Amino acid sequence: MSNTAALAPTADAGQSSAHRITLSSMIRGIWEMRHDLPMIARQLPVMANHNPDRKWTIGFAFEKAAAAHPERPFLRTAEASWTYGECNRRANRWSAVLTSQGVRRGDVVAISAHNSPEVVIAMLAVVKLGAVAGIVNYNQPGDALSHSFGLLAGANQAGAAATILVLHDDDTAAGLAGIDPESAKVTGLSFAELDTAADDLVARDGMVNANPAITRTLTAGSPAYYIFTSGTTGWPKASIMSHSRWQAAMAGIGGAGIRLRADDTMYVALPFYHNNALTISISAALTAGACLAIGKKFSASRFWDDVIANDATAFCYIGELCRYLLAQPPKSTDRAHRVRLVAGNGLRPEIWDEFARRFGISRIVELYAASESNIGFINIFGQSKTAGFCPLQYSVVKADEETGQPVRDSRGRVIKVPKGTPGLLLGQINDRARIDGYTDPKATETKIVRDAFKAGDAYFNTGDLVAEQGFRHIAFVDRLGDTFRWKGENVATTEVEAALNAVPGISASVVYGVEVAGADGRAGMAAIVVDDDFDPVGLAAAARERLPHYAVPLYLRVVAELAHTSTFKNVRTELRKQGYRAAGDDQIFTLADGGYVRA
């Protein structure tokens, strides 16, 4: 992997050159998917059922799959595999252990662990009881991790003062000790301890292998898990994933879009605190009765070796993953695999064809979705350079770059932009496209655009700029608001600013994202006002201690002063436009192994 800090940021792209979807390409795509049409048709009744009171949950769906084909492999690593039946029995035993620990319907159980089959088993064990799995990003240090656990505590039906049970592996156990007890009280239970306790229960009562009776009583509208997102402003938020929305992803994205076969194996090296792994990949495997191969972590140099060792025929990606693979020198393993399709988001148009050609990928199932959003797009028709198609109601409208809100006309209504022009994506909120939102109702309300086109309507503000390509397809352009995306993660500028401002020698800071040549997303850059005791080496060490690795700014710009506004939005917008090259006489520092150094 190249040294990102040495890359030079580029100027803002500004406008989209979105690839157009034509009638001829649509006809060709439909013809090529003709053999999959029966599979897609089977998903339509599922996608049409929006009743939140129906008896359907992730746990119930997995129980049905395990009963239908108990001997098929469900989870595997390069060293071993486990069948649907084995995984279901293990999840049931873990559910029994959680019940013995006092876990009840509606309780929050946190999961903090690196990739392993146990993460999937833990999620299944929790949701089978009607409890809510809080999927924690273990990369968060200090205050951010305490904040996340505090959100889970606040969402717990037992009350914020109750102790949160955390299921974890050995590598994340130490981080639990640093949780601020004023934010949340936590107690840990390791995967090994779960297995030991489960064995004791089995020795006394073999019925703990059976499916929990409560699973079949649970409704689709209830929450399945909380997954953390930066949204577009502020600290991480816990977005709600209901069983109903997970089923919609299972049918629409997994069944109709990705369309795995029963003999497929989907390889996952993305962390399970991402929906690409936890929702997209698991649901795609489950709807087909296919296998999920779990990589411990992504490695560009060993990726294809691991894919081959797992005999994978598909994998999930984020755009950065694809670019890192292309940056590797050519190897014999580039084509020595059986991968026929890949699914994910963020594959940039400029490398789309090269990626498919070099690695022999016949189908790229790009998608657009967000943890908190009510709509999604999927490249169901096999088009090129698109984030996909959406049958739900959405609009692309003119946006205020500084506020991230739609611009309104003299009548107070939002303004649609022409096809091909970048605009803010809004998803209409209705019975077909509800919003689960965040655990904090106030945070959810800030994302709703009311009275957009007529009195009484409501739309979800995705915070993303997209361009319409035709035939209800879009291309992703950029993010708005106080976040930028880097290393596949949403970085909240306010969180980074809080960390920098707490370091001695920093009087004020404004953080923003800048484009970097040869990289996806935007790299972090901070304009800082410094005191006489400014220590660039110490600042880097403090930032690394306080922030996830992907949130530490790669560039610093030392400025004499920052305009004093209540939110710094105007300042941030102008600095982002200036980027790296228009810094004038300001000192620029780049992040290196030893700290920040003069550029």
Side-chain angles (χ1 to χ4, degrees):
M1 193 181 304
S2 59
N3 181 3
T4 308
L7 298 174
T10 66
D12 261 304
Q15 295 295 316
S16 168
S17 55
H19 177 79
R20 288 297 184 96
I21 307 300
T22 64
L23 177 60
S24 61
S25 69
M26 285 291 292
I27 293 172
R28 183 170 60 252
I30 293 171
W31 173 254
E32 291 175 351
M33 62 187 280
R34 65 193 182 280
H35 298 300
D36 291 338
L37 292 178
M39 181 189 306
I40 296 171
R42 289 195 294 271
Q43 309 304 322
L44 297 180
V46 179
M47 291 186 284
N49 189 349
H50 309 291
N51 179 9
D53 296 324
R54 65 189 184 279
K55 298 295 192 297
W56 191 97
T57 62
I58 299 169
F60 177 64
F62 188 71
E63 289 174 3
K64 287 182 62 179
H69 33 76
E71 300 306 318
R72 279 190 201 167
F74 173 56
L75 297 177
R76 68 164 298 165
T77 64
E79 295 79 26
S81 67
W82 298 266
T83 67
Y84 273 79
E86 289 171 329
C87 291
N88 190 51
R89 288 189 292 275
R90 193 180 186 193
N92 290 342
R93 291 193 294 270
W94 283 18
S95 291
V97 174
L98 296 178
T99 299
S100 72
Q101 294 282 322
V103 174
R104 298 293 182 267
R105 179 176 182 175
D107 288 344
V108 176
V109 178
I111 300 174
S112 175
H114 295 78
N115 275 20
S116 70
E118 284 74 18
V119 177
V120 180
I121 299 298
M123 183 273 287
L124 291 171
V126 172
V127 301
K128 276 172 171 274
L129 297 176
V132 187
I135 314 298
V136 177
N137 180 345
Y138 48 79
N139 284 311
Q140 297 176 110
D143 293 345
L145 194 60
S146 295
H147 169 80
S148 294
F149 275 103
L151 289 179
L152 296 181
N156 193 3
Q157 71 165 5
T163 300
I164 296 290
L165 177 62
V166 186
L167 310 183
H168 63 85
D169 58 15
D170 294 340
D171 293 331
T172 57
L176 302 179
I179 303 302
D180 181 2
E182 294 187 5
S183 297
K185 294 182 290 184
V186 302
T187 183
L189 191 61
S190 72
F191 295 150
E193 290 171 331
L194 277 164
D195 275 330
T196 299
D199 290 342
D200 291 341
L201 289 175
V202 171
R204 297 196 300 270
D205 181 7
M207 289 301 294
V208 296
N209 282 307
N211 297 321
I214 191 175
T215 305
R216 291 177 178 255
T217 71
L218 303 171
T219 59
S222 58
Y225 51 78
Y226 300 135
I227 198 160
F228 286 89
T229 174
S230 296
T232 52
T233 59
W235 282 72
K237 301 176 180 66
S239 65
I240 304 168
M241 174 63 74
S242 66
H243 292 276
S244 179
R245 196 150 67 95
W246 200 91
Q247 186 185 30
M250 179 178 172
I253 295 178
I258 298 174
R259 306 194 296 272
L260 294 181
R261 300 188 297 243
D263 60 350
D264 275 323
T265 295
M266 173 166 270
Y267 176 71
V268 181
L270 302 178
F272 278 102
Y273 59 75
H274 273 184
N275 259 328
N276 280 29
L278 192 66
T279 295
I280 304 303
S281 299
I282 295 178
S283 69
L286 185 56
T287 192
C291 183
L292 197 71
I294 299 176
K296 293 180 180 178
K297 63 183 299 185
F298 171 72
S299 165
S301 61
R302 298 191 303 272
F303 182 84
W304 291 114
D305 295 321
D306 210 18
V307 164
I308 293 167
N310 281 282
D311 196 25
T313 56
F315 66 79
C316 70
Y317 67 85
I318 54 174
E320 290 87 345
L321 182 153
C322 300
R323 198 180 287 274
Y324 292 152
L325 293 179
L326 279 175
Q328 290 290 301
K331 302 177 183 177
S332 60
T333 51
D334 286 354
R335 288 287 191 115
H337 55 78
R338 295 203 306 126
V339 171
R340 63 183 181 86
L341 73 89
V342 297
N345 64 283
L347 180 57
R348 303 301 292 178
E350 65 267 20
I351 66 170
W352 184 294
D353 293 336
E354 181 186 2
F355 182 79
R357 184 168 50 248
R358 173 173 168 179
F359 301 114
I361 309 298
S362 58
R363 279 189 66 217
I364 296 176
V365 190
E366 177 80 359
L367 59 93
Y368 169 90
S371 299
E372 68 275 31
S373 182
N374 66 330
I375 58 170
F377 292 74
I378 180 77
N379 189 15
I380 186 173
F381 298 111
Q383 300 299 295
S384 177
K385 303 173 184 176
T386 179
F389 164 87
C390 179
L392 302 173
Q393 293 301 310
Y394 69 88
S395 290
V396 182
V397 304
K398 189 174 181 180
D400 186 315
E401 186 178 357
E402 295 178 3
T403 66
Q405 295 297 317
V407 172
R408 296 187 182 252
D409 61 20
S410 59
R411 299 177 299 113
R413 304 302 184 211
V414 302
I415 306 165
K416 288 187 177 183
V417 299
K419 186 179 298 183
T421 301
L424 177 64
L425 176 62
L426 304 180
Q428 188 180 62
I429 301 170
N430 52 41
D431 288 342
R432 292 185 63 205
R434 297 182 176 90
I435 56 168
D436 292 337
Y438 304 109
T439 54
D440 180 0
K442 292 182 180 178
T444 301
E445 183 60 31
T446 64
K447 300 290 289 181
I448 299 176
V449 178
R450 300 193 182 278
D451 303 324
F453 295 99
K454 62 181 180 180
D457 67 8
Y459 284 76
F460 183 84
N461 182 350
T462 66
D464 289 329
L465 284 177
V466 304
E468 292 199 79
Q469 299 172 290
F471 295 94
R472 302 191 66 79
H473 287 69
I474 63 164
F476 177 81
V477 177
D478 205 350
R479 289 189 63 81
L480 286 172
D482 295 340
T483 67
F484 56 90
R485 193 163 180 83
W486 182 245
K487 303 290 186 183
E489 303 278 359
N490 288 339
V491 180
T493 58
T494 49
E495 178 184 352
V496 181
E497 288 164 0
L500 297 182
N501 292 343
V503 178
I506 305 299
S507 298
S509 67
V510 170
V511 174
Y512 47 99
V514 292
E515 291 188 324
V516 174
D520 292 312
R522 292 176 181 266
M525 188 168 184
I528 57 175
V529 179
V530 302
D531 299 331
D532 292 338
D533 56 347
F534 169 56
D535 175 10
V537 174
L539 176 59
R544 285 169 169 150
E545 180 181 350
R546 297 166 185 262
L547 296 167
H549 63 88
Y550 53 80
V552 177
L554 267 66
Y555 306 98
L556 300 179
R557 175 178 175 176
V558 178
V559 299
E561 62 178 357
L562 292 168
H564 295 288
T565 67
S566 60
T567 63
F568 284 124
K569 285 186 182 292
N570 293 338
V571 177
R572 182 176 295 118
T573 300
E574 185 59 32
L575 289 168
R576 187 170 60 236
K577 288 179 179 178
Q578 293 172 1
Y580 189 91
R581 297 181 179 181
D585 296 331
D586 293 341
Q587 294 181 15
I588 300 295
F589 291 79
T590 62
L591 184 64
D593 291 340
Y596 287 108
V597 297
R598 284 287 299 270

